[in-house]
Amino acid sequence: MTVHKEELGSGAHEGADDYVPSPRRLDRERYKRARARRATAIGALSTLVTAVVLYLVVVNAPGWPRTKETFFDRGYAREAFPKVLEGLWLNVRLLLICGAAVLVLGMLIAVARTLRGPVFFPLRFLAAAYTDFFRGLPLIINLMIVVLGVPALRLQGVSVDPVLLGGTALTLTYSAYVAEVFRAGIESVHPSQRAAARSLGLNNRQALRYVVLPQAVRRQVPPLLNDLVSLQKDTGLVSIGGAVDAVRAADIIVGRSLNYTPYIVAGLVFVALTIPMTRFTDWVTARMDRRQAHGGAV
């Protein structure tokens, strides 16, 4: 009997190695490849036609020569590029520091809003008031209040550094948005998960830390990354307080030359910094969708 099983296993293995697709399957695969090539060609052609049409519309506009001179001057672009890159390092540092602070503060606010029991009502109320206020307050006004208002108070021991104050304003605003993202993730975890954790002997704090929060954070990774992309762009607003970042470096050259090419350079640098983060967000979202479709852990 043992020999017979080994022979069957060997025969099955050989059959798997000698598998030859049927002519119908080969035809179907060729058809799919042909359709994919055709779709790619059509997409490339339509994109090229659209680009050519837009180019012709722009360059044939009556004001194009003046616009080209004012916004696309190569000399000013070469002058602005190294200074914009030098200022961009401040934006990157703000992104890293404020991003970490936003995640921590947003998590604390979200946890406060989801605490149960009447004893935690004041904490829930304050957390809800914080998120409502800073989500409704425009970021530019928040920056002006913090960057320009705090130094006017002349408080002892309080920094008047525009970079620090601008980073504080960014953290205050984005923590409100991130807190709502975390709260949505916490509330998306089924109550049975918390009940199962309690049945295993975990208290409320342990159930939240080891069971609920890991699932909530994992589910909310794509929107969190989107908020970080937005934060990366909005770090340029700290320039209103005088901090020399990429935007302010471009603004200095514009104020001296009255040519707006440095703004275009700064914008393109921000776009180049944002695209990798955006593509990474798309990849994470698609990966999570595939895992959900195949019944994997999210």
Side-chain angles (χ1 to χ4, degrees):
M1 180 64 67
T2 303
V3 175
H4 180 64
K5 287 183 178 180
E6 292 177 354
E7 290 176 354
L8 288 177
S10 177
H13 180 70
E14 291 176 0
D17 291 341
D18 296 337
Y19 168 74
V20 177
S22 66
R24 179 176 297 179
R25 180 177 182 131
L26 293 175
D27 291 339
R28 186 161 54 247
E29 291 178 353
R30 281 194 295 268
Y31 175 73
K32 289 182 179 179
R33 288 194 296 267
R35 283 193 55 133
R37 288 194 298 267
R38 181 172 176 270
T40 302
I42 293 175
L45 180 61
S46 62
T47 302
L48 178 62
V49 170
T50 302
V52 170
V53 170
L54 290 176
Y55 173 79
L56 293 176
V57 169
V58 171
V59 299
N60 291 316
W64 168 244
R66 181 60 178 169
T67 301
K68 180 180 179 181
E69 179 184 352
T70 306
F71 289 91
F72 301 99
D73 187 279
R74 293 184 179 179
Y76 286 113
R78 286 193 295 267
E79 177 186 355
F81 185 71
K83 297 180 180 179
V84 168
L85 282 184
E86 183 179 353
L88 185 67
W89 174 233
L90 174 60
N91 298 103
V92 173
R93 284 181 291 167
L94 279 172
L95 172 64
L96 297 176
I97 297 174
C98 293
V102 163
L103 292 176
V104 174
L105 183 57
M107 175 63 76
L108 293 176
I109 296 170
V111 171
R113 290 202 65 182
T114 57
L115 291 176
R116 302 177 180 181
V119 69
F120 294 113
F121 173 77
L123 198 57
R124 291 197 302 268
F125 175 79
L126 291 176
Y130 177 93
T131 55
D132 290 343
F133 179 79
F134 282 105
R135 290 177 71 197
L137 183 68
L139 175 58
I140 187 69
I141 295 180
N142 185 18
L143 279 163
M144 289 181 177
I145 292 174
V146 175
V147 175
L148 304 179
V150 171
L153 295 175
R154 299 181 181 180
L155 298 174
Q156 294 294 329
V158 177
S159 174
V160 295
D161 184 0
V163 176
L164 180 60
L165 294 176
T168 301
L170 289 171
T171 302
L172 290 173
T173 295
Y174 272 90
S175 294
Y177 289 102
V178 170
E180 288 300 283
V181 173
F182 279 133
R183 185 171 73 93
I186 292 172
E187 294 181 348
S188 70
V189 178
H190 198 274
S192 62
Q193 298 290 312
R194 192 187 297 265
R198 294 301 307 277
S199 68
L200 294 175
L202 276 67
N203 56 35
N204 281 324
R205 182 181 60 83
Q206 292 172 329
L208 180 66
R209 178 181 177 184
Y210 295 111
V211 178
V212 177
L213 287 183
Q215 297 183 62
V217 172
R218 196 159 52 239
R219 294 178 180 182
Q220 299 303 102
V221 167
L224 287 174
L225 290 175
N226 282 325
D227 284 336
L228 289 180
V229 170
S230 298
L231 175 62
Q232 182 267 317
K233 295 182 296 183
D234 286 340
T235 55
L237 295 177
V238 299
S239 60
I240 66 173
V244 184
D245 67 331
V247 177
R248 183 60 178 167
D251 188 58
I252 293 173
I253 301 176
V254 171
R256 172 172 48 81
S257 64
L258 298 180
N259 187 284
Y260 298 105
T261 303
Y263 285 148
I264 302 298
V265 174
L268 292 177
V269 168
F270 272 101
V271 170
L273 185 62
T274 302
I275 287 177
M277 297 177 63
T278 306
R279 296 286 75 80
F280 178 70
T281 302
D282 293 341
W283 177 81
V284 171
T285 304
R287 180 172 177 268
M288 295 182 68
D289 290 342
R290 287 195 301 268
R291 296 184 65 178
Q292 284 182 317
H294 289 84
V298 175

